[in-house]
């Protein structure tokens, strides 16, 4: 088994183009040739082209934070998967909990967006995770199971094998409260088991599963030591070159 670790920075709604260029240039210098980990930067739409230029010729990849499920059309304010490929994206985050919470994203829309990504050769980073209330009432397993089954329903196995799932417990996002390595590993193992049941053991063996939620230089190592944790989706700590570099170079 050899799943290459993948660490992505989710910049959310932060960074003007100038700020984005500064950060991307700093990361191009600090981790641009590092190849033990696949590095992905997901700036806001307005900075995609700028960041793409800054990382050109490096090993760093570009990702977006959302896309629409249609190839084109009268969807004011939306951006299609094809447009993201056109601007240089390789990845797209889909179903982030903030989009589920504030923009009515559902497992069904995530499923349609994953299909749109595949049609255009974009690799989705599909996010799942339970809320604090769900964890406290013992529903983590059933919530994550329903999300994985709903998001991945009827998708082509070979595409799923090349995709990324991000397990992000909602209570750990931006709160400074990381899941323990045991809590994270338990859910990652569940997700891999679900993928094996839905597709095949081979697909489950290949798919990379990131942990997200208050990942920092101080906790990345113990998370990455877990057998089913293949990377991280990093929010706050990806906004500074020093902290994101330390996370990427965790070894
Ligand atoms: P955080 O965000 O690292 O700031 O907790 C993670 C995410 O929302 O992807």
């Amino acid at each position: 088994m050899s799943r290459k670790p993948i660490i992505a920075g989710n910049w959310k709604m932060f960074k003007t183009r100038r700020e984005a260029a500064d950060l991307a240039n700093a990361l191009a210098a600090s981790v641009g040739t590092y190849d033990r980990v696949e590095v992905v930067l997901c700036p806001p739409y307005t900075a995609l082209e700028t960041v793409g230029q800054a990382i050109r010729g490096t090993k760093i990849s570009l990702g977006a934070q959302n896309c629409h499920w249609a190839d084109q059309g009268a969807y004011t304010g939306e951006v299609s998967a094809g447009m993201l490929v056109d601007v240089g994206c390789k990845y797209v985050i889909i179903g982030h909990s903030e989009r589920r919470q504030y923009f009515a994203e559902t497992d069904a829309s995530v499923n349609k967006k994953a299909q749109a990504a595949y049609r255009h050769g974009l690799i989705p980073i599909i996010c799942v995770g339970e809320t604090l209330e769900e964890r406290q009432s013992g529903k983590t397993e059933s919530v994550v199971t329903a999300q994985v089954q709903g998001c991945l329903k009827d998708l082509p196995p070979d595409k799923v094998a090349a995709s990324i799932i991000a397990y992000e417990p909602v209570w750990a996002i931006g709160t400074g409260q990381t899941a323990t390595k045991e809590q994270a590993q338990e859910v990652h193992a569940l997700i891999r088991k679900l993928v094996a049941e839905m597709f095949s053991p081979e697909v489950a063996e290949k798919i990379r599963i990131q942990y997200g939620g208050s990942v920092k230089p101080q906790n990345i190592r113990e998370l990455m030591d877990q057998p089913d944790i293949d990377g991280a989706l990093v929010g706050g700590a990806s906004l500074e070159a020093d902290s994101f570099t330390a996370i990427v170079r965790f070894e």
Side-chain angles (χ1 to χ4, degrees):
M1 177 207 78
S2 64
R3 292 186 295 266
K4 186 165 187 174
I6 179 163
I7 296 182
N10 172 12
W11 294 5
K12 307 192 180 184
M13 198 171 74
F14 292 99
K15 306 288 180 193
T16 61
R17 286 180 303 157
R18 168 72 62 86
E19 293 163 349
D22 288 347
L23 178 54
N25 283 325
L27 292 171
S30 65
V31 295
T33 58
Y34 192 69
D35 63 3
R36 299 176 75 153
V37 169
E38 194 176 342
V39 179
V40 186
L41 303 182
C42 303
Y45 290 137
T46 47
L48 282 171
E49 184 153 24
T50 303
V51 171
Q53 276 165 8
I55 62 177
R56 185 164 300 154
T58 73
K59 294 187 184 303
I60 303 173
S61 300
L62 190 64
Q65 300 172 17
N66 178 39
C67 71
H68 196 266
W69 59 76
D71 294 335
Q72 57 181 19
Y75 297 104
T76 302
E78 291 292 317
V79 171
S80 73
M83 292 169 183
L84 297 178
V85 171
D86 181 53
V87 78
C89 289
K90 180 173 178 189
Y91 292 94
V92 61
I93 299 171
I94 302 179
H96 189 279
S97 66
E98 286 149 17
R99 296 214 55 90
R100 292 175 185 263
Q101 187 180 350
Y102 305 124
F103 304 100
E105 193 85 82
T106 63
D107 296 331
S109 62
V110 171
N111 182 263
K112 290 196 323 189
K113 290 178 177 196
Q115 293 180 48
Y118 294 151
R119 283 198 298 279
H120 293 275
L122 208 49
I123 301 172
I125 298 175
I126 298 170
C127 303
V128 299
E130 81 288 358
T131 63
L132 183 59
E133 195 193 345
E134 288 162 347
R135 175 161 285 266
Q136 286 174 341
S137 53
K139 292 189 191 137
T140 299
E141 187 171 336
S142 62
V143 167
V144 172
T145 298
Q147 288 175 333
V148 170
Q149 291 178 341
C151 293
L152 301 187
K153 187 171 185 291
D154 296 332
L155 296 180
D158 59 319
K159 303 284 192 198
V160 172
S163 299
I164 316 290
I165 295 181
Y167 168 58
E168 299 204 301
V170 179
W171 49 271
I173 295 178
T175 58
Q177 201 191 335
T178 326
T180 64
K181 57 188 193 303
E182 293 83 9
Q183 286 173 323
Q185 166 57 27
E186 190 181 8
V187 180
H188 280 237
L190 166 71
I191 292 170
R192 205 176 298 284
K193 181 180 81 128
L194 292 167
V195 172
E197 287 166 6
M198 289 179 76
F199 300 95
S200 70
E202 291 73 28
V203 172
E205 196 60 31
K206 282 194 187 138
I207 195 169
R208 289 181 290 179
I209 309 176
Q210 294 176 320
Y211 169 79
S214 297
V215 172
K216 300 183 272 292
Q218 296 76 14
N219 58 28
I220 182 70
R221 180 68 196 262
E222 61 175 28
L223 289 162
M224 293 301 293
D225 277 345
Q226 303 306 305
D228 289 296
I229 299 184
D230 308 313
L233 183 54
V234 186
S238 75
L239 296 173
E240 301 277 347
D242 287 353
S243 51
F244 193 61
T245 298
I247 289 170
V248 169
R249 293 178 171 272
F250 68 91
E251 285 185 300

